[in-house]
Structure formats: C-alpha cells, structure tokens
Amino acid sequence: MLQTPSGGAGDGAAATDTGLLSIGAVLSVLREEFPEVTISKIRFLESEGLVEPRRTPSGYRKFSAEDVERLGHVLRMQRDHYLPLKVIREHLAAMERGEAVPLPALSRAGDGEDPAECVPEKPTAARIGRCQLLAAAGVDEQRLAEWESYGLLVPVGDGVYDAEAVTVAGLLMELGRYGIEPRHLRAMKAAAEREAGLVEQVVAPLRRHRNPQTRAHAEDRTKELAGLTMKLHAALVRSALGVRLP
C-alpha cells in the first residue's frame, strides 16, 4: 500500500483533498526505496512519457497513487534489470493492454551492439559498469563518448563509473531536450569541481587525523557539506533567474 508522508503546505503538501500528491510528496515516498531519486529524475521520466500527472490551473503537477506506483515500477526496472527506457515503455504498454509479459531478458553484447542487449554484472553500491550505464541511461556509445569528451562523465577505472553517473546521464538527456548541449555545460562542471574542492579542503584534516573515529566522521561531514553546497547552488540559481520552482 502506498505510504504518503505527512506535513508541509502548498505545493509541497503530501496530498490534496482529492488524494493527489505534489511532486515533492512523491519524491518523499519514492526515496524510501530509491534514496538517490531526484525531482529532476521524476520530471525526466514524465518527459519520456512514462508517467502523466495531472496539472493544476497554475501548472503544478499532481500525482495519483497509480502514478507513484508506476514510477516505482520504472525505477525498479532500471535499478534491478538495467533496462533502457524504450524497453520499459514497451513493457508498461503491454501491461496496460492486459498482457502477462515477463521482463525482457538481456543478452551479452559485443562491440557496437545495442546496450539493451548487455548482461551487466551486479553493480556495487558505489560503482557501475559501462554496459550498465548505457542500458540504464538508454543511450549509445557515441552519446556517452561525447559526454566523456567534455568531462561531464569520467570513468573511475577501466569501464567503471561512479554510481552517480546514471543520475548525471539522465539530467544530461533532459537538458538536451531544451537544446543545451554538452559544450554548454563545461562551466557547470568546473563550478562543481570547485565546490567539491572546497568540501575536500574542509574535511581533509579529519581524514588525516590519528583517531580512527575522527577519520570515520569525515565521511558524514562530507555528505553534510555536499548537501549544503548543493542547496546553496540551487538557491543561487533560482535567485539569479528570479524564479520559484514547483
């Protein structure tokens, strides 16, 4: 059964009198199972036609319980089966027609084959293989190579990426739909690296400390500072544009 969070007001309220949820409330529900999901990810899945929330007269999204369950199903198929969005969309369409269809089986791919045919190994909590990334993002080698050429995605090893690469790839796809190309994003990449450098500078003394507990505390401090810098960055962008995001 769908569990909805409580509290909040306005567009961030958990539910309206009609039982519909705001995008913020949907995010809270989904994060119980998918802690890495973001509002941008939900909007991206909407733009791909995988969910169709209602809109209020002022343009705010309102999601039904069925919408939330559908989003969870999509995210689960990406996380557990590494399926590209095209395959997920076809699978959902078949389910809506009442067809009892099993999840597509992925087969090993050779050079140049469709990433949907890969059989990636199970990723670790912090790493994802190239094949997994291609399948989860629903892109081809050429698109991934272009992102890499601008430093927007960088492997941490031979064909291995940080797990956050899936989120980055989804956002790059979404921005691309507005005509924002990789070459336009180099400034954002540079800014992110400067922000990361600032955080590293603050936590470096903790990581070098002789006390093991103090060194372990460095990871928590890094996450806390990363969250604060991201919130500040978002607030500064909203302020510069003079907009209030839903």
Side-chain angles (χ1 to χ4, degrees), residues 43-59:
R43 289 173 176 158
F44 172 66
L45 294 177
E46 178 191 357
S47 72
E48 289 290 319
L50 291 163
V51 66
E52 297 180 2
R54 302 179 192 179
R55 293 275 186 164
T56 66
S58 56

Side-chain angles (χ1 to χ4, degrees), residues 44 47-48 139 143 146-147 152 168-185 188:
F44 172 66
S47 72
E48 289 290 319
V139 298
R143 179 68 61 85
E146 182 183 15
W147 291 340
L152 299 172
V168 173
L171 293 171
L172 291 174
M173 288 285 288
E174 187 172 358
L175 288 169
R177 298 181 184 282
Y178 292 90
I180 300 178
E181 300 177 7
R183 60 188 176 87
H184 299 140
L185 300 173
M188 294 181 66

Side-chain angles (χ1 to χ4, degrees), residues 13-27:
T16 66
D17 293 339
T18 61
L20 300 178
L21 304 179
S22 70
I23 193 169
V26 171
L27 181 68

